[in-house]
Amino acid sequence: MITGHYLRSTGYYVNKVKLSEIPVGTSAVLVEFETTPLHLHLLAMGIGPGMIVKLVRRFPMHGSLYIQIGNRHVVMRSKEAGQLQVTKAN
């Protein structure tokens, strides 16, 4: 489900979608993530809002997602990727 969201830092409305819902090969901009231990781990790795995220591969049976964030390659469970909100990259 895509929803409109006002992004205060830019002053524009953006369409958000969960990272787990984008097609393979799609690049998107990380808009926000839920406040969980996962977000602390991502911030510690230098990953935060505004970064470009690309879904490289989706493993079968609702498994893990292989994503590229900046120059990092990360494997993440689909459930965790669902906590990350992204919008279409230009």
Side-chain angles (χ1 to χ4, degrees):
M1 162 155 305
I2 299 176
T3 58
H5 176 72
Y6 183 71
L7 190 59
R8 202 176 306 178
S9 61
T10 63
Y12 294 104
Y13 280 90
V14 295
N15 289 325
K16 295 188 308 180
V17 65
K18 294 177 182 179
L19 177 60
S20 60
E21 297 174 353
I22 67 172
V24 173
T26 304
S27 292
V29 178
L30 182 59
V31 178
E32 64 183 33
F33 36 77
E34 295 178 14
T35 306
T36 63
L38 170 66
H39 96 276
L40 295 175
H41 186 67
L42 292 174
L43 288 173
M45 293 184 345
I47 298 170
M51 298 192 79
I52 301 292
V53 177
K54 181 178 181 181
L55 180 56
V56 178
R57 182 174 181 189
R58 185 184 311 272
F59 293 96
M61 305 296 289
H62 300 287
S64 300
L65 304 176
Y66 177 56
I67 58 176
Q68 180 180 355
I69 304 176
N71 61 353
R72 295 172 180 86
H73 295 268
V74 180
V75 176
M76 185 178 294
R77 289 185 209 111
S78 183
K79 181 180 176 182
E80 293 170 341
Q83 297 173 8
L84 305 177
Q85 299 288 321
V86 296
T87 188
K88 182 180 176 183
N90 293 331

